[in-house]
Amino acid sequence: MIPVSIQKDKWLQYRILRNRSSLAGRLPETRLLQKKALSKMLLQYRSVVLKPRDGSYGRDIVFMRRNGANAYRIQNENNGATIRGTGKVLQWLRHKKRSRGYIVQRRLHLARIRRKPFDIRIMTQRKKGAASPWTVTGSYAKVAARGYLVTNVASRTMPVIEALKLAGIGDRRLLVQAERIALSAAQRLGERYPKLRQVGFDIGIDSNRRIWIIEGNYRPDVRPFRRLQDRAMYRRILRYKK
């Protein structure tokens, strides 16, 4: 059997996860970025997110929403502008020189803490050996910095239960449900990539308390776990990485 190399590609990951029926409804609609697909998504959802297929750390992510007839408001990091026509956006993105191009995704309206959106990082890992089960080894909430829509630029990290209470959307039961969804997604990716041993999932919860899989990161940064007051999760993550 030829080993399958792990590909850092948001479009491919979306298609892998979508093929499991229990996960399909947890994924925001996503398409390859083309002019026709972008126009259709903007008509359907009014607001979308454009992401480089090979992106990381929130770089080059663009938020876009309809703002009148053929006018669109775009935001990249904390910079915003209004433009006319989707063609100009596509032309601007081509200058980013992302070799694999972009995806366009329905924008999720995430729950907020003091008007700042937040999402949850759930760390899933398994020990060496094909029969080793996937386990949730840690989680924390990321609150976006002022003026930003991506949580990769975070103003603070905090325990998930604290974030859920501050946002007024739930308690531990909601976290348990999110962990189950993350574990199911990790199992699906693990079936595709037998050598995969860790995935850090970005999980969003909208204002209706619905849980969404934003994406999975194959090389997640574990340093934020070190900043939490309780460092038990950080120590567990390091044990699993051995």
Side-chain angles (χ1 to χ4, degrees), residues 1-62:
M1 181 178 175
I2 300 173
V4 180
S5 60
I6 299 168
Q7 295 186 49
K8 181 183 171 183
D9 183 342
K10 297 180 195 296
W11 174 240
L12 176 58
Q13 184 185 98
Y14 170 77
R15 287 185 294 150
I16 294 169
L17 294 176
R18 188 184 57 187
N19 283 339
R20 176 165 286 183
S21 58
S22 62
L23 295 174
R26 299 292 178 181
L27 300 164
E29 184 179 351
T30 303
R31 299 184 181 212
L32 280 176
L33 180 60
Q34 297 168 338
K35 190 172 183 179
K36 187 176 179 180
L38 178 58
S39 298
K40 188 173 181 179
M41 293 274 278
L42 282 164
L43 277 173
Q44 187 172 357
Y45 298 114
R46 189 178 179 89
S47 185
V48 298
V49 188
L50 314 179
K51 300 179 179 180
R53 287 174 62 171
D54 58 353
S56 57
Y57 300 108
R59 295 191 189 103
D60 293 334
I61 288 179
V62 178

Side-chain angles (χ1 to χ4, degrees), residues 134-183:
W134 286 92
T135 304
V136 171
T137 52
S139 64
Y140 63 87
K142 301 174 286 176
V143 185
R146 184 179 299 277
Y148 286 81
L149 297 175
V150 292
T151 58
N152 304 75
V153 183
S155 63
R156 63 187 295 201
T157 57
M158 66 177 72
V160 175
I161 303 301
E162 181 183 344
L164 295 176
K165 289 179 179 177
L166 285 172
I169 60 168
D171 53 23
R172 182 171 295 279
R173 288 171 293 182
L174 198 59
L175 173 58
V176 170
Q177 188 183 356
E179 288 178 345
R180 286 199 197 105
I181 291 167
L183 278 176

Side-chain angles (χ1 to χ4, degrees), residues 221-238:
D221 185 1
V222 301
R223 288 174 296 180
F225 287 99
R226 201 167 53 190
R227 295 197 289 267
L228 296 173
Q229 190 171 3
D230 181 0
R231 298 184 68 176
M233 285 188 287
Y234 179 66
R235 292 191 291 269
R236 183 162 61 243
I237 288 165
L238 293 184

Side-chain angles (χ1 to χ4, degrees), residues 50 60-64 74-77 79 81 83 85-98 102:
L50 314 179
D60 293 334
I61 288 179
V62 178
F63 291 82
M64 183 176 180
I74 62 170
Q75 181 168 339
N76 174 228
E77 297 184 348
N79 301 309
I83 62 167
T86 56
K88 288 185 179 179
V89 177
L90 297 175
Q91 188 178 16
W92 176 65
L93 288 177
R94 279 194 283 272
H95 290 298
K96 298 285 185 183
K97 296 181 179 177
R98 289 286 186 171
Y102 273 71

Side-chain angles (χ1 to χ4, degrees), residues 180-200:
R180 286 199 197 105
I181 291 167
L183 278 176
S184 180
Q187 289 159 6
R188 177 71 190 101
L189 292 172
E191 290 165 6
R192 174 64 179 252
Y193 302 122
K195 290 191 174 182
L196 183 65
R197 291 185 51 216
Q198 63 175 8
V199 188

